[in-house]
């Protein structure tokens, strides 16, 4: 250092010391207001300077450092996005609990983020704090992307048409058993009652998913004390866990205990099947025991298989439970559509003479369209995130999203725009009358290692995402939800318990968008 700069440093230091002495001489009230004011003013000046950069996307103004727009975004993300779009256009950024989120709304945003290059963005860096303590190590977002692509391929081995043909009767049996034995249904003894769909649908989802994907032993465990562990695990899977992944609090301890106990239980079933050489084609456990060697010859450990089972079940649990809760609630105010669905059931199942099968499900377009419309109105995941790993220029703009920021894509926002879906706020399964398939399979295809999917992701309708992180559970979800809805329609009719009630507003603060209480319906047994 030159003597000149040394003397500057010394002067600044002296001035600093002097300021500090003056600060100590102030009253407590004055000190407190300075401690609060300095970061506050710094924050505003920083935003002013930032807003002058031509290479940065417009930043939504915020008053409170670090917190940023967390409250408005967290309460009503779609309204927040819409207000921002009107002010800034489709591309803008906001601060969320210390992170800068760049949002790109609309089909071009879907393409920019979901089809970003592997080297540019990372899902694991965005999600691992939330998912790894819940799923366990070595899988999903606790491994390199190439491992995840292989894991998705392994899992898809249990999500084939042949497996679905086995699952449909098992799922139908679970739903009927639930109608008979759960307290508020008990349809053997009662012919009407009231249910809270936020209680019944998560239960029905875990029972049916466990019976089909994990087999009867794991399903039967849910009738014992085991079920509380899933609920403890769930409570550790909340948006708060994104920000604080480990805290010395009771629910974190319970989460970790549940992860260990559940994975140990799966592990012991895996070991038992291996010892007895009892590996068939029953469920996902069999599938993974047969096929879980990565492309480079490395084998997944049994512990990793157990963790992957937790991850896959978790991926399907909240999404499917929320979707079935929402379609029950929408249909509660649409007896006309319940009746149409019933007619479809009677036509395809020959007035109830045929048992429901996977193949017959494919002949029920209105059933599909009801699920499809529900997923349009209630995308379970309002925001998908990636962490930016390399500066990303935004095509056709002067903007660069810098390394270290996050990108946020919201297909669910497009789902609600009149521009793409006339009368978008209205529940209307018939808007899909010529288009009952769950998603668009048109156009060029691409394979990231887990089967071919649509290359383009600029559709305004993307309930299952797109690109290398696209959902592999789509067909399972349609099969599971279709079987549940078919059984509801053939067994019951329903309306709101309270005659003046309408479809509840969404709660965006949990992991998936859920109906706010009261989510109760009054059911009646069909004659
Ligand atoms: C209505 C039901 C479902 C919806 C709406 C849904 C939605 C999604 C979405 C939007 C993504 C992309 C996430 C992202 O890009 O960040 C995704 C990924 C995924 N989903 Fe689903 N899902 C559903 C059911 C299921 C089911 C039943 C399973 C398992 C059987 C499942 C397993 C997965 C997996 C493994 C991924 C891949 C994650 C990745 O590659 O990063 N999902 N899902
Ligand atoms: C059972 O019914 C009562 C009212 O009869 C209701 O308050 C409660 O939420 C219902 N529980 C479930 C699990 O549906
Ligand atoms: C319903 O959606 C599934 C899943 O995409 C599809 O395989 C099936 O053909 C659809 N059924 C009808 C009747 O279009
Ligand atoms: C950029 O602009 C060109 C010319 O208008 C257009 O063809 C292209 O689709 C745009 N690309 C993106 C990603 O917006």
């Amino acid at each position: 250092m030159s003597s000149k700069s040394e003397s500057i440093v010394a002067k600044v230091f002296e001035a600093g010391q002097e300021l500090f002495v003056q600060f100590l001489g102030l009253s407590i009230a004055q000190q407190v207001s300075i401690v609060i004011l300095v970061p506050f003013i710094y924050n505003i000046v920083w935003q002013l300077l930032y807003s002058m950069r031509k290479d940065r996307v417009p930043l939504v103004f915020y008053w409170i450092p670090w917190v940023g727009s967390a409250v408005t975004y967290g309460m009503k993300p779609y309204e927040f996005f819409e207000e921002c779009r009107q002010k800034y256009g489709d591309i803008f950024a906001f601060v969320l609990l210390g992170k800068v989120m760049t949002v790109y709304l609309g089909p071009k945003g879907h393409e920019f983020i979901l089809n970003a290059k592997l080297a540019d963005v990372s899902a694991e860096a965005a999600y691992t704090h939330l998912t790894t303590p819940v799923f366990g190590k070595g899988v999903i977002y606790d491994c390199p992307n190439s491992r995840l692509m292989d894991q998705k391929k392994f899992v898809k081995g249990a999500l084939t048409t042949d497996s679905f043909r086995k699952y449909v009767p098992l799922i139908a049996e679970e739903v009927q058993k639930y109608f008979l034995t759960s307290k508020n249904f008990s349809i053997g003894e009662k012919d009407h009652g009231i249910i809270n769909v936020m209680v019944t649908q998560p239960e029905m989802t875990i029972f049916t998913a466990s019976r089909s994907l994990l087999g009867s032993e794991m399903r039967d465990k849910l009738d014992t004390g085991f079920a509380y562990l899933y609920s403890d695990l769930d409570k550790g899977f909340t948006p708060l866990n994104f920000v604080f992944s480990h805290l010395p609090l009771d629910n974190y301890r319970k989460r970790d205990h549940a992860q260990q106990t559940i994975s140990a239980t799966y592990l012991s079933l895996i070991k038992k099947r291996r010892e007895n050489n009892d590996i068939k084609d029953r469920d996902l456990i069999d599938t993974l025991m047969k096929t879980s060697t990565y492309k480079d010859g490395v084998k997944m450990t049994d512990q990793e298989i157990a963790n992957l089972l937790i991850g896959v079940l978790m991926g399907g649990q909240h999404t499917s439970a929320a979707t079935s809760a929402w379609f029950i609630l929408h249909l509660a105010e649409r007896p006309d559509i319940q009746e149409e669905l019933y007619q479809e059931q009677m036509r395809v199942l020959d007035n109830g003479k045929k048992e429901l099968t996977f193949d017959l499900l494919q002949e029920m377009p209105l059933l599909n369209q009801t699920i499809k419309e529900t997923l349009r109105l209630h995308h379970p995941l309002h925001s998908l995130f990636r962490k930016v790993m390399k500066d990303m220029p935004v095509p056709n703009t002067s903007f660069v999203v810098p390394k270290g920021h996050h990108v946020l894509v919201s297909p669910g926002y497009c789902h609600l725009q009149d521009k793409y879906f006339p009368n978008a706020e209205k529940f209307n399964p018939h808007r899909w009358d010529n288009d009952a398939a769950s998603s668009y399979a048109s156009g060029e295809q691409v394979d990231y290692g887990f089967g071919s999917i649509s290359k383009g992701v600029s559709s305004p309708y993307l309930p299952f995402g797109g690109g290398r992180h696209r959902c592999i559970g789509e067909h399972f979800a349609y099969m599971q939800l279709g079987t549940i809805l078919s059984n509801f329609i053939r067994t019951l009719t329903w309306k709101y318990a309270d005659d003046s009630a309408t479809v509840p507003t969404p709660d965006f603060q949990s992991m998936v968008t859920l109906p706010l209480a009261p989510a109760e319906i009054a059911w009646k047994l069909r004659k």
Side-chain angles (χ1 to χ4, degrees), residues 97-241:
L97 309 180
K99 300 189 169 89
V100 187
M101 298 282 163
T102 294
V103 183
Y104 194 160
L105 298 173
K108 285 194 171 131
H110 299 174
E111 205 66 54
F112 181 64
I113 295 170
L114 297 174
N115 267 350
K117 288 207 284 295
L118 179 59
D120 287 354
V121 297
S122 162
E124 56 275 25
Y127 294 145
T128 189
H129 299 291
L130 169 77
T131 55
T132 303
V134 175
F135 305 164
K137 293 203 172 297
V139 300
I140 315 265
Y141 303 122
D142 189 49
C143 56
N145 185 268
S146 59
R147 290 287 188 246
L148 172 61
M149 298 300 106
D150 275 356
Q151 289 161 13
K152 288 170 79 169
K153 181 181 65 190
F154 304 152
V155 173
K156 275 188 79 178
L159 306 176
T160 61
T161 301
D162 276 343
S163 357
F164 294 155
R165 292 201 171 102
K166 279 178 281 184
Y167 298 161
V168 166
L170 301 177
I171 290 174
E173 188 187 303
E174 283 296 332
V175 177
Q176 287 300 329
K177 194 163 86 185
Y178 193 86
F179 286 155
L180 275 170
T181 59
S182 73
K183 188 171 134 278
N184 281 23
F185 278 120
S186 304
I187 61 169
E189 293 142 39
K190 295 191 278 184
D191 65 0
H192 69 280
I194 290 176
I195 53 152
N196 178 343
V197 294
M198 285 317 299
V199 176
T200 59
Q201 294 324 108
E203 288 182 352
M204 224 179 253
T205 308
I206 186 89
F207 291 159
T208 53
S210 302
R211 181 72 185 87
S212 52
L213 292 174
L214 301 179
S216 53
E217 280 142 301
M218 288 301 135
R219 161 62 187 94
D220 290 346
K221 279 211 168 277
L222 289 170
D223 294 333
T224 69
F226 200 69
Y228 84 91
L229 290 166
Y230 286 102
S231 130
D232 283 353
L233 201 57
D234 261 2
K235 288 181 197 138
F237 198 59
T238 71
L240 199 66
N241 295 81

Side-chain angles (χ1 to χ4, degrees), residues 394-426:
V394 184
N396 292 350
T397 73
S398 64
F399 305 139
V400 175
V401 185
K403 178 179 168 179
H405 284 196
H406 285 71
V407 280
L408 184 163
V409 62
S410 176
Y413 169 85
C414 269
H415 287 191
L416 300 175
Q417 302 308 306
D418 287 333
K419 183 171 151 194
Y420 303 111
F421 305 98
N423 283 319
E425 81 295 344
K426 204 169 172 320

